[in-house]
Amino acid sequence: MKAFRRVMLVLGVAGIIGGVARFRSKTPVPRSQGGWRELEGPDFR
Amino acid sequence: VSRVLLVGLGDVGLRAARQLVETEGIDRVLLAGHRNRTVAHLAETFGDRAEASEFRPGDALPEVDAVACALPDDLDVRVVTTAVEQGIPVASCADAAPTIDRLRALGPTARSREVTVALGCGLAPGLSDVLARHAASAFDEVDEIGVARFGCSGPASVASVRAERSAPARDWYDGAWRSTARPAEEIVWFPEPIGARDCRTVTAGVALLVDAFPGVPCVGVRLGEPQRRRIGVRRRVGDEGEWGATRVEVYGRRGRERAVVVYGVIEHTAVATGTVLALTAAQLCGAGGATIHRPGVHGLAALVDPVPFLAELASRGVRVATFEGAAVG
């Protein structure tokens, strides 16, 4: 029973740390609008 | 009769060889690799203009008008050094900062021997430098140049990118070198299908841009993490390799207005690098629609006229796009 509790405690702590790391490490993505247009000659602008 | 020696027949070298044998004005392409039997077979598949060469890095170069070098770092330095000593123009696609620094140190010798050395002839550095030059011509004054690249062209390139990303980085900030021990990842938006990728500030390629754009206060280069190859998945014959992309942002002033121009390229990394390397080598001997002659060691931003270079690349299938849009919050 004691071993089972320890295992559950370890899993719980690991889950919390993993969850925090997952959310904290996400780089914020700036919102933007627009798109890519292929450049063509003669001036490639 | 124009003769070009291509050294290195890996992912980039093979694409460069195909481009060189199809370039008008180049009559002979000498191919040198590390296995004679393979090189002889490859020369046959590339047609009448190709010929196998027994050249090895460290040997004296055969009689040629230009050299295209698609070798990893130390070997690349040996070939370029030999070319400078023999007075033969050379194009190199090395992209690691230590290698570029060693090659830039050949500048005084190259100038005294009237030899042109084109460095960073790849996707970035390389095509990105040409795009930076093209974008800069749209401004009265340029404030900042930012280049980012995602993608590698072969195992040596993957190793080089990993080394660059894990090393302390230097960029050009406010007119001076700035070091960062552990640069943070930043999201860069490349054209689809690459899309948004985490990229880290690196040193490679910054010096070439600083040399080419004296007076621009801020120059930075970022690299994305190479893709991991899935275990058990082998590349097939005809596989063009992984997709790569570059994004070039140039900020500046037109009159009183501050503006930004963003250019992007998406292409198989080895194809783009091989095409840029081949076209540069061709132009070093007067083929490929232009002639490059500027004694010394330079990046492409200081060597080529962007519009004809981009036109020639477009005719070879390497196309450029511009981003038209704005941040909304």
Side-chain angles (χ1 to χ4, degrees):
Chain A
M1 194 62 190
K2 195 173 176 183
F4 177 74
R5 278 186 190 159
R6 278 188 180 169
V7 169
M8 293 307 288
L9 181 67
V10 167
L11 288 176
V13 170
I16 291 165
I17 292 172
V20 169
R22 179 178 168 78
F23 283 105
R24 282 182 66 90
S25 66
K26 277 197 172 174
T27 315
V29 178
R31 290 169 60 210
S32 64
Q33 60 185 19
W36 293 92
R37 173 180 60 82
E38 190 175 317
L39 296 182
E40 289 174 354
D43 58 355
F44 286 89
R45 292 282 181 200
Chain B
V1 177
S2 292
R3 290 160 58 91
V4 175
L5 171 68
L6 171 67
V7 194
L9 294 170
D11 286 7
V12 171
L14 290 177
R15 275 73 182 193
R18 171 59 61 202
Q19 293 292 331
L20 283 167
V21 294
E22 290 177 359
T23 301
E24 286 298 316
I26 293 183
D27 305 287
R28 212 81 187 136
V29 180
L30 279 65
L31 304 176
H34 65 287
R35 287 185 194 143
N36 273 342
R37 223 181 266 174
T38 316
V39 176
H41 173 69
L42 280 171
E44 280 177 25
T45 63
F46 282 122
D48 293 343
R49 287 185 180 176
E51 174 185 321
S53 165
E54 293 185 355
F55 172 81
R56 294 276 182 282
D59 294 351
L61 288 161
E63 221 172 278
V64 289
D65 300 287
V67 177
C69 192
L71 289 172
D73 309 314
D74 285 343
L75 296 173
D76 185 277
V77 173
R78 288 175 78 177
V79 173
V80 174
T81 305
T82 307
V84 170
E85 283 167 358
Q86 290 185 224
I88 300 172
V90 56
S92 155
C93 61
D95 61 357
T99 309
I100 290 174
D101 285 344
R102 287 166 69 190
L103 294 173
R104 283 174 70 237
L106 296 170
T109 315
R111 277 193 298 278
S112 69
R113 293 179 187 265
E114 290 280 304
V115 186
T116 306
V117 179
L119 289 193
C121 303
L123 181 58
L127 179 50
S128 57
D129 299 47
V130 178
L131 292 175
R133 171 64 67 201
H134 188 47
S137 67
F139 295 104
D140 299 326
E141 189 183 336
V142 175
D143 300 329
E144 184 179 345
I145 299 171
V147 171
R149 182 187 112 200
F150 175 84
C152 301
S153 44
S157 176
V158 170
S160 165
V161 168
R162 293 215 165 108
E164 282 294 321
R165 282 174 47 90
S166 58
R170 290 203 314 155
D171 62 354
W172 185 251
Y173 183 77
D174 224 359
W177 289 103
R178 177 177 68 172
S179 296
T180 313
R182 288 180 61 84
E185 301 274 10
E186 284 180 62
I187 280 192
V188 176
W189 292 88
F190 296 100
E192 294 296 339
I194 299 294
R197 300 282 176 166
D198 275 333
C199 291
R200 186 172 287 175
T201 299
V202 296
T203 311
V206 180
L208 295 176
L209 287 166
V210 172
D211 289 347
F213 295 94
V216 173
C218 298
V219 178
V221 175
R222 296 190 187 107
L223 272 180
E225 173 75 10
Q227 286 172 325
R228 293 180 194 283
R229 181 165 296 176
R230 283 169 291 172
I231 295 167
V233 177
R234 289 175 62 89
R235 285 176 56 181
R236 290 166 299 182
V237 175
D239 185 354
E240 293 284 13
E242 67 172 76
W243 283 98
T246 188
R247 177 184 170 113
V248 178
E249 293 177 8
V250 176
Y251 295 85
R253 291 177 195 283
R254 286 187 207 111
R256 288 185 177 180
E257 179 198 0
R258 190 163 192 268
V260 59
V261 172
V262 180
Y263 290 142
V265 178
I266 178 127
E267 182 52 271
H268 296 283
T269 313
V271 172
T273 304
T275 308
V276 171
L277 178 69
L279 181 57
T280 309
Q283 294 193 347
L284 282 171
C285 56
T291 302
I292 295 174
H293 179 71
R294 186 178 174 191
V297 177
H298 309 282
L300 291 189
L303 287 177
V304 305
D305 187 358
V307 172
F309 196 85
L310 294 176
E312 188 63 32
L313 284 180
S315 74
R316 293 166 187 246
V318 179
R319 298 174 192 282
V320 178
T322 185
F323 184 78
E324 292 176 333
V328 291

